Amino acid sequence: VLVPAGAEWKYLDTGVDQGTNWVAPDFDDSAWLQGPAPLGFGDSGLATLVEGGPLTNRTPTIYFRRLFLVEETQGLTNLLLRVRRDDGAVVHLNGQEVWRTHMPPGPVAFDTLALWGPVVGGEEEEKTFFQTNATGILPLLQTGRNVLAVEVHQYEPWSSDLSFDLELLANVEITNLPPKLGGLVLPRNRAKYPPGANVTFQLTETGNFDPDGIITHVTFL
């Protein structure tokens, strides 16, 4: 699970057009609000309420961003992207659009409305996760820091509700990957010890990427 359902998201619900820079990984979203998903208004079971705008003139787009870390992209296969969106959404990963759902083709602006039909309606459909095989975006996934940026669009100015949640899953290739150790912290570089001294060895924290075993012994020479 790279991004779990119900995760924390930064969001902007001010009704101000953010243009295109907001999808960039290094965009400064420090002033945005934050809360756990599902986020929205007008639907039941929401964890975070967002401001949707006046009843007869809803904000057409609400923006969401999430930073997540990937320890190692090696061995990840078959990405699955699942989105709860009422009404439409465009998903960006590390600055690149990777999927749009219930949205028209072509350029998408702040005032672009989601597709009119079939309208997302009913208690169950509004909580449905729509999904796509996102294996093609694996080259965009980076070891370390990654950023998802999602814009959720209304289908009409007088919409009664909006909701959003997202889950990103990956299969792990079951192969005999070599185990990985962290870098050496102690002894420090160029440290000197007299004969017979006790020497402490310490490694940085490390993940274990060997699915058929664990590291039990390390020999220092």
Side-chain angles (χ1 to χ4, degrees):
V1 179
L2 302 180
V3 178
E8 292 270 337
W9 288 81
K10 292 286 191 75
Y11 66 92
L12 188 72
D13 58 357
T14 59
V16 177
D17 184 355
Q18 295 299 294
T20 59
N21 291 336
W22 72 278
V23 304
D26 57 354
F27 176 80
D28 182 9
D29 59 12
S30 59
W32 290 25
L33 298 175
Q34 182 172 328
L39 305 99
F41 67 89
D43 290 332
S44 63
L46 297 173
T48 301
L49 296 180
V50 305
E51 175 57 53
L55 182 61
T56 58
N57 187 28
R58 294 297 193 192
T59 299
T61 300
I62 306 292
Y63 301 100
F64 302 90
R65 285 173 54 90
R66 175 174 171 80
L67 165 68
F68 66 101
L69 302 177
V70 177
E71 287 191 11
E72 179 62 68
T73 58
Q74 180 185 1
L76 295 184
T77 64
N78 303 326
L79 283 181
L80 184 67
L81 180 60
R82 306 178 70 244
V83 179
R84 170 179 170 176
R85 45 80 175 150
D86 181 6
D87 296 289
V90 182
V91 182
H92 309 262
L93 174 62
N94 294 330
Q96 300 294 318
E97 180 182 335
V98 294
W99 190 42
R100 61 177 66 185
T101 170
H102 207 58
M103 292 292 295
V108 174
F110 174 71
D111 57 356
T112 300
L113 296 178
L115 294 176
W116 178 267
V119 173
V120 179
E123 190 73 13
E124 291 305 315
E125 187 175 358
E126 290 172 346
K127 295 181 179 180
T128 298
F129 278 81
F130 298 87
Q131 64 186 40
T132 183
N133 186 322
T135 302
I137 72 173
L138 269 172
L140 294 177
L141 203 62
Q142 301 175 2
T143 296
R145 188 178 187 273
N146 293 267
V147 175
L148 278 165
V150 185
E151 49 192 291
V152 176
H153 293 251
Q154 298 280 19
Y155 82 94
E156 61 182 359
W158 46 90
S159 176
S160 61
D161 50 19
L162 177 144
S163 61
F164 165 72
D165 199 352
L166 182 148
E167 188 176 40
L168 182 60
L169 309 172
N171 285 8
V172 178
E173 183 181 8
I174 303 301
T175 60
N176 191 22
L177 298 176
K180 291 191 174 182
L181 291 172
L184 194 64
V185 176
L186 294 175
R188 300 189 184 280
N189 192 29
R190 299 182 181 276
K192 296 181 179 181
Y193 298 87
N198 291 326
V199 180
T200 299
F201 290 87
Q202 180 182 339
L203 300 175
T204 58
E205 286 190 23
T206 178
N208 178 39
F209 303 104
D210 193 0
D212 61 356
I214 60 173
I215 299 169
T216 59
H217 293 80
V218 179
T219 301
F220 295 95
L221 303 176

